[in-house]
């Protein structure tokens, strides 16, 4: 298995620190607003990584954090006239719902920044003792990382300190160098609520963004771990700063850095500030969650995706062909289990999670499986269907997975489904009777009536098959 390592800018053999185990830390979201399609891409992409590592026999520890205290959260909560912790909690629930809707498996643990302030204070204290951090002398209570004290600063993104812009995460008055970044932010009584401050050796305040992830990664994965992931926009300054402060504190930190690309609209990163976001609930009112996930995983995680509903519809139509094959196979065979993945799929996934080639391999098996359907039940058909299910399970889009229906359909929807089944069956019987009586005009009229209702008919050796 080979993965692209952002730090070395090359695809490398994946060699874990401990044989048979893999530790992953994924930078989760800052819960300041409703999650949109761009927000959840990293969750979906790294869910595929976790599933594939598990298939390959690794015992995976997967940590994905939540940033629930942050400048943006304080600003937005003040604008909305609500406590910051209430905003963060409500948006975290929205994010959980979005991940659940897209069949993203829960992490091994999901630590929140506000629950780990003691660990952050301890890490900052360690950095000060090592000469890599200092408390501001202006009485603000701020503490900064001294970037010039760490000779390797900039190595993750290949930059020189003198070429970098000033860090904008705190008032520059207390800094020795404008590029120094905040580890601790002193409480501003005039503009910040008292609940947004914790005690520390430097006075009440709250942690800076970068120290949060270092402290949580080190707590749950140890001083050294295998993979650190996140969106490509986090490479600098967030991940650069994480690596610098963690290694300056004496820890090896991440062996591999992986970054997923953006989902863009009109060529720009999808973001709240640009006003081009598409929230998950809004998109799911238009399309099925399984189709949205298939659209996201069919693209390589390092490729930028230009979002459009036209492209989403095309992906949904392609996935419908896969679903149709599996449904017909199940009608003939009964239950279809999880089988053996084809070699082309495995090769693609081992090559830096090559999901485009993996999806192409799925279509190849479906194409061969469709040829087998006409002959009726067979071991070859069962093998093809089971293989398709196994490959889709890795991508998180197996339509027979109970997670896609568990909690997703109400009793009312189930009654509607049963009603549609009965009505279509009745019409198909009328069509069969008309054809038997050689009343082909009536039979065609019934087909047209079904088509107008959004139902496609396919005449097969086993009888008519219909699908939405």
């Amino acid at each position: 298995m080979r993965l692209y390592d952002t730090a070395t800018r090359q695809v490398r053999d994946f060699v874990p620190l401990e044989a048979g185990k893999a530790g992953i830390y994924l930078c989760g979201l800052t819960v300041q607003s409703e999650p949109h399609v761009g927000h959840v891409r990293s969750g979906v992409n790294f869910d595929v990584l976790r599933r594939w590592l598990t298939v390959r026999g690794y015992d995976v520890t997967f940590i994905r954090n939540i940033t629930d205290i942050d400048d943006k959260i304080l600003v937005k909560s003040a604008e909305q006239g609500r406590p910051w912790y209430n905003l963060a909690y409500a948006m975290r629930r929205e994010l959980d719902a979005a991940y659940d809707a897209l069949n993203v498996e829960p992490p091994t643990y999901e630590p929140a920044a506000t629950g780990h302030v003691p660990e952050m204070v301890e890490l900052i204290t360690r950095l000060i003792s090592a000469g890599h951090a200092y408390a501001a002398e202006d009485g603000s209570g701020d503490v900064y990382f001294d970037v010039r004290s760490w000779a390797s600063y900039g190595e993750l993104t290949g930059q020189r300190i003198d070429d970098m812009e000033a860090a904008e995460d705190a008032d520059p008055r207390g800094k020795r160098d404008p590029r120094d970044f905040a580890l601790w932010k002193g409480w501003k009584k005039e503009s910040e609520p008292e609940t947004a401050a914790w005690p520390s050796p430097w006075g009440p305040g709250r942690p800076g963004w970068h120290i949060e992830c270092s402290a949580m990664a080190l707590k749950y994965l140890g001083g050294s771990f295998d993979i650190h992931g996140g969106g490509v926009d986090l490479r600098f300054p967030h991940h650069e700063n994480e690596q610098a402060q963690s290694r300056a504190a004496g820890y090896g930190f991440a062996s591999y850095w992986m970054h997923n690309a953006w989902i863009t609209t009109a060529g720009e990163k999808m973001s709240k500030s640009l006003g081009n976001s598409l929230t998950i609930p809004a998109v799911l009112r238009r399309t099925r969650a399984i189709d949205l996930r298939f659209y996201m995983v069919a693209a390589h995680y390092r490729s930028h995706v230009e979002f459009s509903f036209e492209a989403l519809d095309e992906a949904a139509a392609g996935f419908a062909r896969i679903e149709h094959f599996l449904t017909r196979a199940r009608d003939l065979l009964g239950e279809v289990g999880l089988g053996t993945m084809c070699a082309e799929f495995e090769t693609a996934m081992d090559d830096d999670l090559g999901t485009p080639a993996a999806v192409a391999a799925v279509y190849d098996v479906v194409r061969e499986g469709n040829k087998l359907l006409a002959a009726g039940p067979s071991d070859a058909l069962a093998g093809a269907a089971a293989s398709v299910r196994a490959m889709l399970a890795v991508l998180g889009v197996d339509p027979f997975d109970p997670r896609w229906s568990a909690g997703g359909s109400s009793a009312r929807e189930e009654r509607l489904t049963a009603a549609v089944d009965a009505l279509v069956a009745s019409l198909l019987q009328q069509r069969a009777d008309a054809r038997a009586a050689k009343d082909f005009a009536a039979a065609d009229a019934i087909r047209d009536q079904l088509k107008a209702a959004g139902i496609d008919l396919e005449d097969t050796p086993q009888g008519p098959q219909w699908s939405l």
Side-chain angles (χ1 to χ4, degrees), residues 234-275:
L234 299 181
R235 290 175 61 240
F236 187 86
H238 186 48
H239 288 169
E240 186 73 69
N241 292 349
E242 271 192 69
Q243 176 167 284
Q245 66 198 9
S246 301
R247 292 187 173 175
Y251 302 107
F253 212 51
S255 299
Y256 298 78
W257 288 86
M258 295 179 66
H259 294 92
N260 62 277
W262 292 337
I263 291 182
T264 58
T265 53
E268 296 184 272
K269 174 194 172 188
M270 190 179 290
S271 68
K272 286 288 182 183
S273 60
L274 290 175

Side-chain angles (χ1 to χ4, degrees), residues 350-398:
D350 276 341
D351 184 15
D352 192 31
L353 299 184
T355 54
V359 169
V362 173
Y363 278 122
D364 287 342
V365 177
V366 168
R367 193 174 300 112
E368 294 303 313
N370 279 328
K371 296 176 183 177
L372 298 169
L373 285 170
S378 67
D379 290 343
L381 176 60
S387 177
V388 170
R389 274 204 69 191
M391 293 185 287
L392 294 182
V394 169
L395 302 177
V397 289
D398 172 17

Side-chain angles (χ1 to χ4, degrees), residues 126-173:
R126 185 181 179 111
L127 286 167
I128 292 175
S129 298
H132 295 298
Y134 60 93
E137 298 179 358
D138 60 358
S140 63
D142 295 342
V143 180
Y144 297 101
F145 183 85
D146 184 351
V147 295
R148 293 195 181 276
S149 74
W150 185 244
S152 299
Y153 187 71
E155 64 180 345
L156 179 63
T157 51
Q159 300 184 80
R160 296 174 60 253
I161 292 179
D162 291 336
D163 296 333
M164 298 178 186
E165 295 182 358
E168 298 179 353
D169 58 351
D171 192 319
R173 289 178 299 177

Side-chain angles (χ1 to χ4, degrees), residues 76-77 124 134 219 337 452:
K76 286 185 178 292
S77 63
I124 295 170
Y134 60 93
K219 181 176 179 68

